[in-house]
Amino acid sequence: MTLYDAIFTRRSVRSYRMEAIDEQILKSIPEFLNETGPLFPQIQTSLKIIDRVTKKEKVNGFANVTAPYYAALYSEKKEKSDMNAGYLMEHLSLYLESKGIGTCFLGMASKKDAEEEEEGRSFVILLAFGLPKNSGVRKNYEANRLSMEELCAYKETPKVWVRQVLEAARLAPSALNAQPWRFVVYENRVHIFSKKPLTAKGKMGHLQELNFGIMFANVMVTAEQIWVDLDLIRLENITHMSLPGNQYVLSILPKP
């Protein structure tokens, strides 16, 4: 299974077998993330694996999913650092799914780390993972998501690749399954808006930016699969665009 295939089969797994997974898969996680280009390369990040099988390590906060392993991402606190974290962790989630390992984002849990704090990196997000007790995959039609018509405002008839990218974006997981994104669609470009400001304060504001990073990961995994070179960029000449009640975030454009 490829990362692209995993977009269509992944489900959030909340019940795990408390047993070890293949050691080679565990060892491959740091290498995979090193090979995954971040959304914003100027932001330093690190990942730590929390082992609940052999070491019985604990996590903090509201960890409502008991799993054999958790992946904790730490990051410098810079503009769009939460979005960058979501982007990296969705890649990891899809990678593990492709190996038969279930995952679940835990937005209210945490894992403080003094060493990371000393290096100037703070905890951002926790991903539970392990062998699912039940099926770790879903059928495409089982996804509880808004339809494309509900998410998109069509200005022109989109090309096939645009439809493929949007379908992957539609299937992206989000906190409380809120699907906070809306798309203004043209023939060969998409302008992305948020239903709520990304700068909102508090926990939900933090998760809002993470949500968009997760969705952008699906976009770029799809672009690689279908051999389309895309840019995710903020266009200054479009910030004035009005989609009532929504905030402009970024645009998806083919590279020149």
Side-chain angles (χ1 to χ4, degrees), residues 11-12 31 37 49 69 83 90 101 125 152 186 211 215 231 239 241:
R11 69 173 0 132
S12 293
E31 182 179 345
I49 303 298
Y69 304 95
M83 188 180 293
E90 173 67 352
I101 307 298
I125 188 65
C152 299
Y186 291 82
N211 288 334
M215 183 267 288
D231 272 331
T239 54
M241 276 190 64

Side-chain angles (χ1 to χ4, degrees), residues 25-242:
I25 293 176
L26 276 178
K27 290 180 178 179
S28 72
I29 288 174
E31 182 179 345
F32 170 78
L33 272 190
N34 285 337
E35 293 175 352
T36 299
L39 189 57
F40 300 106
Q42 72 275 17
I43 301 174
Q44 291 186 7
T45 61
S46 66
L47 186 89
K48 290 194 173 179
I49 303 298
I50 301 161
D51 184 345
R52 293 276 294 152
V53 178
T54 60
K55 299 180 181 179
K56 306 299 182 184
E57 296 181 73
K58 295 182 179 180
V59 298
N60 310 112
F62 184 54
N64 60 335
V65 173
T66 301
Y69 304 95
Y70 301 92
L73 190 89
Y74 301 85
S75 174
E76 290 182 293
K77 283 299 181 183
K78 291 184 176 180
E79 183 180 2
K80 298 292 188 292
S81 58
D82 289 340
M83 188 180 293
N84 189 63
Y87 183 85
L88 289 169
M89 291 297 265
E90 173 67 352
H91 273 85
L92 177 57
S93 177
L94 295 174
Y95 172 72
L96 291 170
E97 172 73 20
S98 75
K99 303 296 184 183
I101 307 298
T103 66
C104 184
F105 286 94
L106 302 181
M108 305 302 287
S110 65
K111 179 64 174 176
K112 299 292 185 181
D113 189 291
E115 291 181 0
E116 293 292 334
E117 293 284 350
E118 288 180 6
E119 294 295 326
R121 293 184 291 267
S122 302
F123 170 81
V124 183
I125 188 65
L126 206 67
L127 184 75
F129 68 96
L131 296 172
K133 277 189 178 179
N134 304 304
S135 175
V137 300
R138 64 151 191 249
K139 303 293 184 183
N140 196 9
Y141 62 81
E142 294 177 322
N144 181 22
R145 300 289 190 271
L146 295 174
S147 69
M148 204 72 80
E149 288 68 28
E150 292 172 292
L151 292 172
C152 299
Y154 292 97
K155 301 298 184 181
E156 298 172 353
T157 301
K159 291 186 175 181
V160 171
W161 71 261
V162 175
R163 293 186 182 276
Q164 291 174 294
V165 163
L166 286 171
E167 178 61 13
R170 186 182 77 86
L171 292 173
S174 55
L176 303 178
N177 202 23
Q179 292 179 268
W181 34 76
R182 294 297 181 266
F183 308 108
V184 177
V185 184
Y186 291 82
E187 180 188 24
N188 67 342
R189 65 193 186 281
V190 179
H191 305 306
I192 301 166
F193 289 77
S194 171
K195 290 188 67 180
K196 295 181 180 179
L198 295 185
T199 54
K201 295 182 179 179
K203 191 68 176 179
M204 293 312 295
H206 156 72
L207 294 177
Q208 181 83 338
E209 193 171 287
L210 274 162
N211 288 334
F212 275 83
I214 290 168
M215 183 267 288
F216 288 137
N218 278 18
V219 167
M220 299 309 283
V221 165
T222 302
E224 183 175 357
Q225 176 71 25
I226 62 178
W227 292 58
V228 177
D229 286 332
L230 296 181
D231 272 331
L232 292 172
I233 59 175
R234 183 174 177 84
L235 300 174
E236 294 306 319
N237 64 345
I238 209 171
T239 54
H240 68 282
M241 276 190 64
S242 176

